[in-house]
Amino acid sequence: MIFLNTGLGTLATAKAIDGDALWVNILRMAGQTPVALLITVLVGMWTLGGQRTLKDMEKLMDGALGPVCGIILVTGAGGMFGGVLRASGIGQALAGSLEAACMPLIVAAFLISTALRVAQGSATVALTTTAGLLARIVTATTGLSSFDLCFLIIAIACGATVLSHLNDSGFWLVGRFLQMDERTTLQTWTVMETLLGVIGFAFALVGCCIISW
């Protein structure tokens, strides 16, 4: 259902279908993430109901929904914290400071993305914010090849991957579903994410240097 919503939105943007048509709006509404997930839960309850009593279903739902409540709370708090940081202008301040340092563009992209990732937890926000901040610099920089742009994108993505910690919803999802405490999650998930980001950036940096030579 979510995929259908995305597909219809893409087709409407491409003018392949009428985006204002009633049937398109109905299907897209059903494919909105909260609606689609609610329908999924209701269908799951009906399917699993079978010969179970209402008391059995209540116990089943309590057992299924209970563990995710803490994760939902942390995710919402992390999103709110990220919104406060974005409203405070931390992204523009970071970009201005790193731009004034006159460092290579690919290194600045990685550091800005990393700083935003650590500050507010969301990889998506770090990606999109860094891309928006660097767009004007990339446009004004001459001589960038397609490979340079590809390596720049990889650097941004790697920066948004590293140092997943307590303000990242993914950190709590992994920790809670694998039944690990915070220290163990930091020693495993955080280290793994950091290695992925740093090694990926190293490859991008080497590739960028080779292309430049």
Side-chain angles (χ1 to χ4, degrees):
M1 293 174 70
I2 296 174
F3 176 76
L4 179 63
N5 174 32
T6 304
L8 289 174
T10 302
L11 292 174
T13 302
K15 305 299 182 182
I17 60 174
D18 182 10
D20 295 325
L22 179 61
W23 66 274
V24 173
N25 289 324
I26 292 175
L27 291 177
R28 292 200 64 186
M29 181 185 69
Q32 294 293 326
T33 303
V35 178
L37 293 178
L38 175 61
I39 294 174
T40 303
V41 171
L42 294 176
V43 172
M45 291 173 62
W46 178 77
T47 304
L48 293 174
Q51 303 300 319
R52 292 183 175 87
T53 64
L54 291 177
K55 186 175 182 180
D56 291 336
M57 283 301 301
E58 182 180 358
K59 181 183 294 186
L60 181 64
M61 294 302 297
D62 285 342
L65 297 178
V68 304
C69 291
I71 298 173
I72 293 172
L73 178 63
V74 172
T75 302
M80 180 182 66
F81 179 55
V84 171
L85 289 174
R86 290 193 298 275
S88 69
I90 185 174
Q92 287 76 8
L94 285 170
S97 300
L98 292 174
E99 185 179 355
C102 298
M103 63 180 61
L105 185 59
I106 189 170
V107 177
F110 177 76
L111 292 179
I112 292 173
S113 185
T114 298
L116 291 172
R117 161 71 156 172
V118 174
Q120 50 78 43
S122 171
T124 303
V125 172
L127 282 167
T128 55
T129 304
T130 304
L133 292 172
L134 294 180
R136 59 182 179 86
I137 303 175
V138 172
T139 304
T141 303
T142 58
L144 292 178
S145 66
S146 298
F147 282 109
D148 290 326
L149 296 178
C150 288
F151 290 132
L152 186 63
I153 293 171
I154 292 172
I156 295 174
C158 290
T161 303
V162 303
L163 295 173
S164 169
H165 63 102
L166 299 174
N167 63 356
D168 179 20
S169 59
F171 175 91
W172 294 101
L173 284 171
V174 171
R176 289 295 179 264
F177 284 129
L178 295 182
Q179 299 181 355
M180 298 187 297
D181 58 22
E182 289 79 6
R183 181 177 181 180
T184 304
T185 309
L186 285 169
Q187 292 173 339
T188 54
W189 170 257
T190 303
V191 172
M192 181 197 71
E193 288 280 278
T194 303
L195 286 173
L196 285 172
V198 172
I199 294 172
F201 171 67
F203 277 112
L205 184 60
V206 170
C208 187
C209 293
I210 292 174
I211 293 298
S212 298
W213 290 340

